[in-house]
Structure formats: C-alpha cells, structure tokens
Amino acid sequence: MSLAIVHSRALDGLKAPEVTIEVHLANGLPSFTLVGLADTEVKESKERVRAALSNSGLEFPYNKRITVNMAPADLPKESGRFDLPIALGILAAMGHLDVAKLADKEFAGELSLGGELRPVRGALPMALAVHQQAQRAGSAARSLVLPLDSAREAALVDGIALYGASHLAEIVAALRPDDQRAGEAALTRMVTASTSVASGAARSLDLREVKGQSAAKRALEVAAAGGHSLLMVGPPGTGKSMLAQRFNTLLPELTVSEALESAAVSSLVGRFDISQWRQRIMRSPHHSASSVALVGGGSPPRPGEISLAHHGLLFLDELPEFPRAALEALREPLETGQITISRAARRHDFPARFQLLAAMNPCPCGHFGNPLKACRCTPDQVARYQAKLSGPLLDRIDVQVDVPMVSPEVLARSPDGDASDQIAQRVAQARERQRTRQGCLNVDLGAAALDEFAQADAAAMNFLQTACSRLGWSGRAFHRVLKLARTIADLAGQATVLQAHVAEAIQYRRVLHQNQA
C-alpha cells in the first residue's frame, strides 16, 4: 500500500482542530515534499524524521517520491508535533504498520535524531478537543498517543484512552500487524489523573506576618470574598508587595473545571507544572512589559499575562510605570473576562478571567501624605503621576486602599491580626453564600442580576445615590460599589445590604481622590 492516513491535531489559539496527515509513496526522482500550509518548524521535520527512522533501526524509503499532505490546507501548522505522525505515515505507506490500528488513534510528538520522543506544547488542549469532539458526535473518543511527559499532562482529562511512549520504536512495536501482545506492552497506558493528583499546597506564607495594616488586610479579605480587583496605594516599604504575595492564601483552591481551563492556557505555552494542579497562578510581569506581553499577540498569536493568570491573580507592581497602552488594554478583559486578538488572516479568543492586584506609590518620590517623611514632589508632579492611570481604568478597580507607613513601635510588636486560614474560612463562607444565591461571585453579576440579588434597604440606597451624585461617579461605578457592598454584607452574613456596608464600599473607591486633595 502506497497511501497511509494518520490523525493528529494542530493548535489554533486554545482550540486543537483535527489534522489529517496523508502520506503517499510513488516512483520517480527521490524527494520529500510537505504541503498544507506548513511552518518552518514543520518543514524541518523532514530531516528529523529521516534521521529518527534510520537511527531506530527502521526502514526509510530513500528511493521513493514522498508526498505528505496535512489537511485542511488552509489551517496553519507549526511546531514539531507532526514529526511522529509523519514518521508513522511513512512506515504505514510502506506496509510496515497495521493501518487498522492507526484509524482509531491520534498522534503528536517531536522526534529527536535518535528517535526519542520529546514533549509538545498544548497536550491538554488536544486531550480536551478529543474528548469534546467525541461528546458532540456521541461516539467513543479516539485514543491519544503522546510523549510520556505530555501524556502525564493530558491525563488530567477524563473520558479518553491515553498512551505514553518515550521512543518511536515503542509505538512502532505497538502498531505492527504481527505481534499483538508485544504491541500492547510497548505503550504505557496513562491513568486519568484528575482524581489522583494531589491538589493544593502547604501555605508557606501567612497574612499575619504583615504587622499593622489592619485596613489593608480588611480590604484584601473583601476583595478575596467577592473576586474584586484591588489597588494598594502607599509609600515604598509599607508592605504592599507582602500583602499581594499573601493574597493567594485567602482564596479557595480551584474547582476541577477551573483548573482544567487554567492548565490548558499554561499548556499552550509549555509552562504547565502538574505539581501546581488546582493552585491559583499568580503572574507578576515587570513594569516594562508591553501591551502584547500583557494581553497577548504575536504571529501566530499567543496568550499574554492576563490569559496565563486565568482563574488566578495578576499582580502589577508600580502600576503607573507600565506603558499607558498596556494599561488601557486591560479595560476590556476586566469587564468581559476574555481577550480577542484579531489579525488579517485569523482571529483568536483567549480566556482572561483574572483577579487584578496592583500597587503604586502616591507620587514619584513615594512619600506624598507620609507623616514620617516629607514629600519632595510638587503638586503638579503628584497630579501628573497619578494621572498616568486613566479614569476608565480606575473605574474598573473595585477596591482602592491606602497602605500607610508603619511606625517602628508597631514593627517591634509580635504579629497581629487573624491568620490566613481564619480569613480564608470567612472568604470561603462568603463565596458559598454567593454561589448558593446567584450561581456566581458578586463581581460577575450582570445588571439584571444585580437588581435581583444585591438587595439594599432604602437608607442604604439613598446614601449610595447621594454619594454618587456628589462625587460625580459613572453608572459603572454605581454598580461596582453596589457589588462591593453586597460582598461586605455576605462577609457579615447579612441577607440585605445595609447603609454601613455601602459606606465601607464607598471608602474603598476614594483613595486617589483623597491623596489629590
């Protein structure tokens, strides 16, 4: 037989569309041709496949005209994931493999020159795509054969038969038509890991280690309970970064579904670590990061920091020092929870439901409003520095809290306040009230759901309306304060939003305005 078909998958954003690899051997001048919109990495597979087959003791058709077609032709193919299916297709076209065994399997893997299998990016999105395709078709999913490291990652997806191998020869032995038992033993059957991988991690940090800053700790608890974004403003050395690093200890671990979504994005860029399964990722890009680094882009488009922080935390230290374009690019994902990257040929949607943590100094020297050290900035310099953050961006940050300088007397005291575990318990109870009541966190409430579930008494609503009128707040600010008040009420175990809850929520929106005053 001179024609063989092998199934694989490409990567198209977070999607993994199916790719059919057709290998044809014909008489004529010896050549090796790849067609089907193959990128440079794919075209280079010709040399890797030739060397891997030869060094694995397998035959390569040097005297044949080899044509490899990767369909669909209009889908870009990149990376070395097609090395393995191309090599298997050549062997099958020569009659060395059982074609029936290829029909119900999908393959991906990069080959070394010696035939060893190297892991590939996007194993988790591939496994999810195989499972979802089978569910839509109402049929059994194809088996997925991957390098061992990639197979361990893909094993987090339930409902598919998954095999891992470390060398090309192992897969060839499993697919030969003559020795069935040897073939079954050659591959490693991966056990579904979503229920067997240990989740969570020991808390090595504790919020109680931050001395003083009771107001900031309370703000962190409120932000954690409702999923709200948070901005900390204060002089250098007051503990803003310490507070941010301990914010994760207040949050519950991810659900399996959230963990799969988060892991799929990390897998797409080759950064998934199975030891961090179900832990919330915290991304902390440097303030020199560009807008492409933050929101994603490039060719082909790759996810940025906001997508890598999906269902996790994005900490932006020295917020005004980030490029203005990069900060403004955060406005849409903060509202929608996703980012769309459009190019001339293709469009990619990446998830970006992250929780924003940010920290900044109140002025260029950092000591504006500091009672312990005089500020050397002029009022105009302070105004220009704070104006680097646009009004629409600040409008989307629910909690803004002042982190003042702590006196030496406070620093000399023993750690005070509640431990992270105690606060985490209150946060978990508040989140459970929200999910039971409305099926989501308060930060995700839409306008209609807000009217239904954020029930405030008359005094609280009048107080909020008066404050919004006097402060000139937008409709978005009105709704965000109401969501924040609903979270504060949930922490207090109150079914109705009271005036005290609204008053506390309003105070979290006025830090920069107070500093400017």
Side-chain angles (χ1 to χ4, degrees):
M1 184 176 183
S2 61
L3 176 65
I5 296 176
V6 183
H7 302 286
S8 186
R9 289 191 180 267
L11 289 179
D12 185 23
L14 265 183
K15 302 175 183 176
E18 184 179 351
V19 173
T20 301
I21 296 177
E22 303 167 331
V23 180
H24 180 249
L25 303 183
N27 295 324
L29 290 176
S31 64
F32 196 156
T33 305
L34 287 171
V35 296
L37 208 57
D39 205 349
T40 303
E41 300 99 321
V42 182
K43 292 178 180 178
E44 291 173 346
S45 68
K46 294 186 291 186
E47 306 306 323
R48 292 192 295 270
V49 168
R50 182 185 289 112
L53 288 174
S54 298
N55 292 323
S56 300
L58 302 169
E59 184 180 351
F60 183 83
Y62 289 100
N63 60 342
K64 293 289 186 179
R65 182 182 182 88
I66 307 170
T67 304
V68 178
N69 177 44
M70 292 178 284
D74 61 345
L75 176 68
K77 319 319 187 283
E78 48 91 19
S79 84
R81 69 183 58 253
F82 300 107
D83 291 2
L84 175 60
I86 290 173
L88 295 178
I90 292 174
L91 293 173
M94 296 170 64
H96 296 335
L97 301 182
D98 188 347
V99 178
K101 293 181 180 180
L102 292 173
D104 61 348
K105 295 179 177 63
E106 296 186 8
F107 303 86
E110 180 180 334
L111 289 172
S112 72
L113 298 185
E116 291 83 7
L117 288 173
R118 291 173 174 159
V120 294
R121 293 186 300 105
L124 199 51
M126 289 173 62
L128 287 169
V130 171
H131 180 55
Q132 292 166 0
Q133 179 176 315
Q135 284 186 319
R136 288 193 299 267
S139 59
R142 288 197 187 108
S143 302
L144 190 58
V145 182
L146 297 170
L148 271 177
D149 289 343
S150 299
R152 293 188 185 100
E153 176 183 315
L156 294 170
V157 179
D158 197 3
I160 61 172
L162 186 65
Y163 297 91
S166 58
H167 198 280
L168 173 62
E170 298 173 12
I171 300 178
V172 172
L175 299 176
R176 286 194 185 279
D178 48 354
D179 195 343
Q180 179 68 28
R181 288 183 301 172
E184 292 175 352
L187 296 179
T188 302
R189 178 69 182 266
M190 307 304 295
V191 179
T192 301
S194 57
T195 57
S196 61
V197 174
S199 61
R203 299 186 189 275
S204 59
L205 301 175
D206 197 306
L207 194 62
R208 195 166 180 264
E209 297 167 352
V210 182
K211 298 180 181 180
Q213 305 297 5
S214 57
K217 292 177 182 179
R218 168 64 178 176
L220 260 67
E221 180 177 347
V222 172
H228 304 283
S229 50
L230 171 72
L231 171 63
M232 293 176 284
V233 184
T238 56
K240 301 186 294 293
S241 296
M242 285 184 68
L243 290 166
Q245 290 164 359
R246 285 153 179 79
F247 187 79
N248 230 341
T249 65
L250 311 182
L251 300 174
E253 68 177 13
L254 296 172
T255 64
V256 172
S257 135
E258 290 172 339
L260 280 173
E261 292 178 15
S262 174
V265 182
S266 298
S267 173
L268 190 61
V269 295
R271 295 180 182 173
F272 176 65
D273 183 357
I274 199 168
S275 65
Q276 296 180 343
W277 172 243
R278 296 188 69 177
Q279 296 179 35
R280 294 182 188 271
I281 294 175
M282 182 172 181
R283 304 291 300 181
S284 305
H286 191 260
H287 59 73
S288 60
S290 65
S291 57
V292 171
L294 275 183
V295 303
S299 181
R302 299 286 180 86
E305 295 290 339
I306 62 173
S307 296
L308 294 173
H310 183 54
H311 289 312
L313 307 174
L314 178 68
F315 177 47
L316 303 182
D317 202 4
E318 306 295 343
L319 186 64
E321 303 299 334
F322 280 81
R324 178 79 176 230
L327 293 180
E328 294 305 303
L330 298 177
R331 286 159 51 177
E332 179 188 353
L334 279 171
E335 288 284 338
T336 63
Q338 69 174 16
I339 182 69
T340 300
I341 301 173
S342 297
R343 295 293 180 263
R346 310 197 73 80
R347 163 181 164 162
H348 297 270
D349 296 318
F350 294 110
R353 194 162 296 282
F354 61 95
Q355 191 165 356
L356 175 65
L357 301 181
M360 62 175 285
N361 298 327
C363 66
C365 80
H367 295 287
F368 180 73
N370 182 2
L372 303 181
K373 190 170 183 179
C375 174
R376 62 176 183 266
C377 303
T378 65
D380 186 53
Q381 287 176 319
V382 175
R384 281 203 307 271
Y385 184 78
Q386 296 189 1
K388 292 181 179 180
L389 306 181
S390 68
L393 177 62
L394 287 174
D395 220 19
R396 290 166 167 83
I397 300 179
D398 298 334
V399 182
Q400 302 168 20
V401 63
D402 193 18
V403 185
M405 186 69 75
V406 179
S407 67
E409 292 78 11
V410 174
L411 292 175
R413 294 201 311 244
S414 300
D416 56 1
D418 291 338
S420 288
D421 288 340
Q422 296 172 286
I423 301 174
Q425 186 175 0
R426 296 196 294 266
V427 167
Q429 292 171 351
R431 287 190 169 216
E432 182 60 30
R433 292 187 187 103
Q434 296 166 41
R435 296 192 188 280
T436 301
R437 181 179 61 238
Q438 65 220 17
C440 64
L441 296 182
N442 289 332
V443 74
D444 297 321
L445 285 174
L450 192 62
D451 294 336
E452 180 179 356
F453 298 113
Q455 300 172 357
D457 63 11
M461 190 58 71
N462 290 335
F463 182 68
L464 178 57
Q465 291 171 350
T466 302
C468 286
S469 298
R470 290 184 178 178
L471 297 172
W473 282 351
S474 65
R476 180 191 293 113
F478 177 88
H479 285 123
R480 285 188 173 268
V481 169
L482 192 55
K483 292 179 186 179
L484 197 56
R486 176 67 268 177
T487 299
I488 296 170
D490 288 331
L491 279 170
Q494 296 285 338
T496 303
V497 177
L498 305 178
Q499 184 172 340
H501 307 145
V502 172
E504 183 179 354
I506 289 174
Q507 289 303 312
Y508 290 136
R509 302 278 302 188
R510 304 194 61 211
V511 171
L512 287 181
H513 295 287
Q514 291 171 347
N515 286 341
Q516 289 173 355

